[in-house]
Amino acid sequence: AKITQEAAVKKAEKATIIAAEARSAAEQAAAEATKARTAAEHARHEATKAATEAEAAVDRMLQKVAEAEAFLEEIKSKPGSAQGALWWMDRELHEARAYLPERKGGY
């Protein structure tokens, strides 16, 4: 009976050691998961900020293209303008629209 009691004690000690190791591994995994979640939230914030800045840049570009087109139409309406230079400016504006998204007026 004494041998089985000692074996049971050793078995319980082994189980306690294994449980402690599993607990420390779980705590470490939880800490790593928390760190990863924080990094993901930071990356999401940065991505949202970059998307907002990109949208603002597209809006500014649209405004500049509209201003340039209005100026070009004004110059075209005046007599004695250099048609070749005006064609070239018109072509440059056309090319600028190629880099806009379709929903913003690009093609």
Side-chain angles (χ1 to χ4, degrees):
K2 196 173 191 180
I3 294 174
T4 51
Q5 190 178 22
E6 289 175 7
V9 169
K10 284 184 181 180
K11 195 175 198 181
E13 288 174 352
K14 279 185 180 179
T16 305
I17 292 171
I18 290 173
E21 290 173 354
R23 182 181 194 147
S24 68
E27 289 172 351
Q28 184 180 3
E32 290 174 6
T34 302
K35 184 188 284 186
R37 181 180 33 180
T38 303
E41 288 173 356
H42 179 69
R44 181 180 52 81
H45 175 70
E46 291 296 319
T48 303
K49 183 179 173 183
T52 303
E53 290 173 0
E55 282 293 322
V58 167
D59 290 339
R60 284 192 307 270
M61 193 250 188
L62 276 172
Q63 182 181 3
K64 294 290 183 181
V65 167
E67 289 173 6
E69 286 176 341
F71 179 73
L72 185 60
E73 291 302 319
E74 179 185 330
I75 297 297
K76 279 183 183 179
S77 68
K78 294 181 180 178
S81 57
Q83 293 300 316
L86 291 176
W87 177 87
W88 188 259
M89 286 182 222
D90 193 37
R91 185 67 189 165
E92 289 291 326
L93 287 173
H94 179 75
E95 290 295 321
R97 285 211 176 270
Y99 295 102
L100 286 175
E102 287 184 14
R103 63 185 170 87
K104 295 284 188 172
Y107 58 91

